[in-house]
């Protein structure tokens, strides 16, 4: 098979965001667009790619199959000697992370736009994960972007598409392509971390749950593990077949985009536990009967109880959360005497903390929770750890949450998103906000007194790298906080995220409805940032 060098010209918009390069499908379908970016990744790896192993797979969304074939031909032409690809081109993000680690691969190309909608009019994405299994850190994504902006040629192989349904090894040019079961190694890892026997006993005792895979990549994993290995009744996993357009759904596991699960769990027929995951399987949604568990609370509860699972029986080294995530986990860490780190948004910032052994567990308010077992957030893992904890404590999920609040207090939490705002208007809002930070302390808004205000900057404790402008945070003397930042995963205009929280120590008030409890914080946020004036929006597009 002949290697061909194809001349190309750069696209100037190939800048990875919070989690890889994410654009509309139509953008990715431009001639050379995919090839340029993939070659930029390979070029950035340099000579180290010669003879190396590469992991490849995606979440099954529209364009996944084509881009897998393109990437296979290019990887073979670029000197990789082994390419591990999930059957059908599928790999969940956490499973890809695991495969990179256990096969000592140089890294992995993961095709996903995660929680963004799919289909011909939806989004597509390409991310590169490094040899530790984690999202490329900032210096690497910066180098890939620079390379993509100056690219003049890419290499590919003249070869037909491979049959990705048949498991086993095939030769592609000088490379070996291994088509593997996307679930097997992942399931084996889960068995090491959580007590399968205890969870199986729970199901044998009549425990009922619904896991909604949202027609995305976790379906096969959840079926194999929950219904297969753990013996949950058939039908426990719904929307289990990955579809190119996710069945028309928005595969973001939150109460708005998975209203079905919420309705079931808040209704009279609620099973004991409800869960869901996103497009690429790294996010999780946890719902107790009658009670949505915020991802921030879920992280705190997992941190408090993880020692009940065999993989964490020796305790935790430390924990971390992204800055906008509520401080609920900080309270667990403080009580247990554990180090607790605050990082910018995006899983890549946990990598050094996990690699250096400083933390065992970490999470984000956006429904991402994970541990040192891989270097990505892991949706199904979080669900299994919850099940392990429910089995070990014997407590109903809602009682477990309320007991947690009674012990630590409740951090009322909500995120208000203003989607597809005109980019210049959103940037103007952030600029105006930054300009007034210095004068805010001491001022009173909606009855709340600003005690501190800054633009979050992070110094990585391991490599000393500094990442600035990671979100404006305003603290109030009344133990409340609001954070403003612009999304780095959207594909149209800008998305303003407003993160709102308030601590409540008094158990008598723990039952309060969240938006009502946060009303003064919401009013203060609007007064400070003048959201309506800048964006022209009277209300957020999504409240989670
Ligand atoms: C969002 C979330 C962030 C998450 C990222 C990728 O980023 O806020 O916490 O890590 O998505 O998640 P942003 O920049 O839009 O706020 V996934 O599951 O889409 O890979
Ligand atoms: Co995701």
């Amino acid at each position: 098979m002949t290697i061909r060098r194809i001349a190309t010209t750069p696209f100037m918009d190939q800048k990875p965001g919070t989690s890889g390069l994410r654009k509309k499908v139509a953008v990715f379908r431009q001639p050379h667009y995919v090839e340029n970016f993939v070659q930029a990744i390979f070029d950035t790896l340099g000579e180290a790619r010669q003879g190396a192993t590469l992991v490849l797979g995606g979440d099954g969304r529209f364009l996944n199959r084509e881009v897998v074939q393109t990437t296979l031909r290019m990887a073979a032409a670029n000197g990789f000697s082994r390419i591990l690809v999930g059957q059908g081109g599928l790999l969940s993000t956490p499973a890809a992370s695991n495969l990179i680690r256990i096969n000592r691969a140089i890294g992995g190309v993961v095709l996903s736009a995660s929680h963004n909608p799919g289909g011909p009019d939806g989004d597509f994405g390409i991310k590169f994960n490094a040899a530790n299994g984690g999202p490329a850190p900032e210096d690497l994504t910066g180098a890939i972007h620079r390379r993509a902006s100056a690219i003049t040629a890419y290499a590919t192989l003249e070869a037909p598409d491979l049959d990705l349904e048949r498991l086993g090894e095939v030769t592609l040019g000088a490379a070996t392509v291994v088509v593997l079961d996307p679930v097997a190694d992942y399931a084996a890892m889960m068995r090491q971390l959580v007590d399968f026997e205890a969870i199986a006993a729970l199901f044998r005792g009549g425990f009922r749950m619904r896991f909604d895979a949202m027609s995305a990549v976790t379906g096969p994993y959840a079926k194999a593990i929950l219904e297969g290995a753990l013996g949950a009744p058939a039908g426990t996993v719904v929307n289990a077949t990955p579809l190119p357009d996710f069945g028309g759904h928005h595969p973001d596991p939150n109460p708005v985009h998975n209203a079905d699960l919420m309705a079931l769990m808040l209704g009279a027929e609620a099973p004991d536990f409800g869960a869901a995951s996103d497009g690429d399987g790294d996010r999780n949604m946890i719902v107790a009967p009658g009670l949505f568990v915020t991802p921030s609370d879920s992280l705190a509860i997992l941190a408090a109880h993880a020692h009940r699972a065999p993989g964490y029986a020796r305790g935790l080294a430390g924990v971390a959360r992204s800055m906008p995530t509520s401080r609920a986990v900080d309270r667990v860490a403080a009580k247990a005497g554990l180090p607790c780190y605050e990082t910018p948004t995006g899983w890549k910032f946990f990598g050094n903390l996990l690699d250096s052994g400083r933390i065992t567990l970490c999470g984000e308010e956006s429904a991402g929770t994970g541990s040192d077992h891989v270097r990505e957030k892991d949706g199904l893992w979080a669900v299994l750890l919850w099940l392990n904890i429910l089995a070990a404590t014997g407590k109903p999920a809602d009682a477990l949450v309320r007991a947690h609040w009674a012990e630590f207090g409740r951090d009322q939490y909500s995120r208000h998103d203003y989607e597809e705002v005109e980019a210049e208007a959103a940037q103007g809002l952030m600029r105006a906000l930054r300009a007034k930070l210095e004068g805010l302390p001491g001022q009173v808004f909606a009855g709340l007194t600003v005690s501190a205000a800054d633009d979050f900057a992070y110094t990585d404790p391991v490599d000393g790298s500094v990442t600035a402008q990671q979100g404006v945070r305003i603290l109030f003397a009344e133990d409340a906080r609001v954070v403003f930042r612009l999304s780095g995963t959207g594909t149209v205009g800008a998305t303003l995220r407003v993160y709102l929280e308030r601590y409540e120590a008094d158990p008598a008030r723990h039952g309060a409805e969240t938006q009502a409890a946060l009303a003064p914080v919401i009013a203060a946020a609007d007064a400070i940032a003048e959201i309506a004036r800048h964006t022209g929006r009277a209300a957020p597009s999504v409240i989670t």
Side-chain angles (χ1 to χ4, degrees):
M1 287 173 197
T2 350
I3 293 177
R4 291 187 56 198
R5 270 177 73 78
I6 314 277
T8 187
T9 48
F11 293 89
M12 300 316 285
D13 66 346
Q14 296 196 324
K15 184 177 173 20
T18 312
S19 181
L21 183 70
R22 222 172 267 197
K23 304 277 177 196
K24 286 277 166 213
V25 162
V27 174
F28 274 101
R29 282 178 128 177
Q30 298 171 88
H32 304 318
Y33 196 89
V34 165
E35 290 87 344
N36 278 16
F37 191 68
V38 170
Q39 188 66 51
I41 294 170
F42 293 169
D43 286 350
T44 305
L45 295 174
E47 284 312 296
R49 70 179 187 265
Q50 303 301 328
T53 298
L54 182 74
V55 170
L56 173 63
D59 63 12
R61 70 178 58 223
F62 188 83
L63 228 57
N64 191 84
R65 283 176 178 273
E66 293 85 340
V67 178
V68 164
Q69 298 286 355
T70 303
T71 308
L72 279 172
R73 281 189 279 268
M74 288 183 64
N78 272 277
F80 295 93
S81 72
R82 270 175 93 74
I83 307 150
L84 312 180
V85 59
Q87 188 179 28
L90 294 181
L91 281 179
S92 77
T93 287
S97 182
N98 180 48
L99 286 173
I100 294 168
R101 293 167 67 78
I102 63 177
N103 292 287
R104 297 182 186 284
I106 192 170
V109 173
V110 181
L111 309 175
S112 173
S114 186
H115 61 286
N116 297 24
D121 300 322
D123 292 344
F124 191 76
I126 303 181
K127 5 181 220 180
F128 181 71
N129 282 31
N132 71 344
E138 294 272 278
D139 55 345
L140 190 49
T141 55
I144 294 170
H145 177 221
R146 281 192 298 281
R147 181 64 199 147
S149 305
I151 198 156
T152 54
Y154 62 85
T156 187
L157 207 65
E158 256 176 28
D161 282 0
L162 294 183
D163 177 1
L164 295 180
E165 297 307 324
R166 196 181 323 143
L167 295 175
E169 298 195 1
V170 281
T171 300
L172 183 63
T176 303
V177 174
V178 187
V179 181
L180 42 76
D181 173 358
V183 178
D185 290 315
Y186 179 86
M189 170 174 58
M190 290 302 118
R191 206 177 267 281
Q192 300 300 312
L193 295 172
V194 300
D195 187 345
F196 271 35
E197 189 33 54
I199 302 174
L202 198 63
F203 284 121
R204 278 198 300 275
F207 183 91
R208 292 190 308 135
M209 82 174 279
R210 171 178 290 185
F211 183 99
D212 188 343
M214 299 185 82
S215 304
V217 79
T218 315
Y221 296 84
K223 273 232 167 243
I225 295 174
L226 292 172
E227 295 183 12
L230 296 169
T236 295
V237 182
V238 300
N239 297 316
T241 306
L243 300 174
D245 66 348
F246 308 119
H249 292 121
H250 189 150
D252 193 350
N254 64 42
V256 174
H257 295 307
N258 201 332
D260 285 358
L261 184 62
M262 285 305 290
L264 175 76
M265 294 307 297
L266 301 186
E269 297 299 304
D272 300 299
F273 194 58
S277 56
D278 73 334
D280 61 333
D282 57 358
R283 295 187 180 202
N284 70 88
M285 173 177 176
I286 302 291
V287 202
L291 181 69
F292 170 67
V293 186
T294 70
S296 297
D297 276 350
S298 176
L299 172 64
I301 291 165
L302 293 182
H305 294 277
H307 62 274
R308 302 180 193 280
Y312 307 94
R314 66 194 181 286
L316 308 176
V319 294
R321 62 166 169 84
S322 67
M323 183 273 282
T325 303
S326 97
R327 295 157 298 166
V329 73
D330 302 31
R331 304 181 203 286
V332 174
K335 195 162 183 179
L338 293 176
C340 179
Y341 298 85
E342 185 177 35
T343 59
T345 294
W347 209 261
K348 56 188 153 194
F349 294 102
F350 294 130
N352 279 344
L353 298 173
L354 291 163
D355 285 348
S356 65
R358 282 174 164 76
I359 60 167
T360 311
L361 226 66
C362 48
E364 296 192 285
E365 55 67 40
S366 54
T369 329
S371 87
D372 58 1
H373 66 291
V374 286
R375 292 295 178 272
E376 285 279 6
K377 50 193 194 248
D378 189 342
L380 187 51
W381 163 86
V383 173
L384 293 169
L385 186 53
W386 261 93
L387 290 172
N388 192 150
I389 291 166
L390 295 177
T393 59
K395 278 203 176 100
D398 50 334
L400 190 78
V401 177
R402 288 184 221 283
H404 187 89
W405 292 339
E407 183 176 355
F408 294 96
R410 177 174 185 186
D411 290 90
Q412 284 279 17
Y413 189 89
S414 180
R415 189 175 96 188
H416 291 194
D417 289 336
Y418 297 78
E419 295 179 336
E420 301 188 14
V421 172
E422 207 240 307
E424 189 37 51
Q427 274 146 21
L429 180 149
M430 292 303 290
R431 266 198 308 276
L433 200 50
R434 288 188 169 110
K436 61 163 85 157
L437 282 180
E438 232 171 272
L440 286 179
Q443 290 197 50
V444 180
F445 299 90
L448 302 173
T449 306
V450 176
S451 56
D454 69 359
D455 191 351
F456 182 57
Y458 178 64
T459 304
D460 187 299
V462 179
D463 65 19
S465 61
V466 178
T467 312
Q469 295 211 316
Q470 292 301 302
V472 166
R473 48 180 186 178
I474 295 162
L475 299 164
F476 299 98
E478 294 76 11
D479 219 344
R481 184 178 78 151
V482 56
V483 173
F484 301 88
R485 61 178 283 281
L486 299 184
S487 157
T489 60
T491 56
V492 181
T495 293
L496 170 69
R497 301 205 195 284
V498 184
Y499 308 83
L500 307 138
E501 65 179 291
R502 185 171 195 170
Y503 179 66
E504 179 58 71
D506 181 0
R509 288 201 286 264
H510 285 169
E513 193 274 325
T514 297
Q515 300 304 316
L518 291 174
V521 190
I522 295 167
D526 197 35
I528 293 170
E530 299 178 280
I531 300 171
R533 184 171 74 77
H534 282 283
T535 64
R537 302 283 178 85
S541 8
V542 182
I543 296 179
T544 51

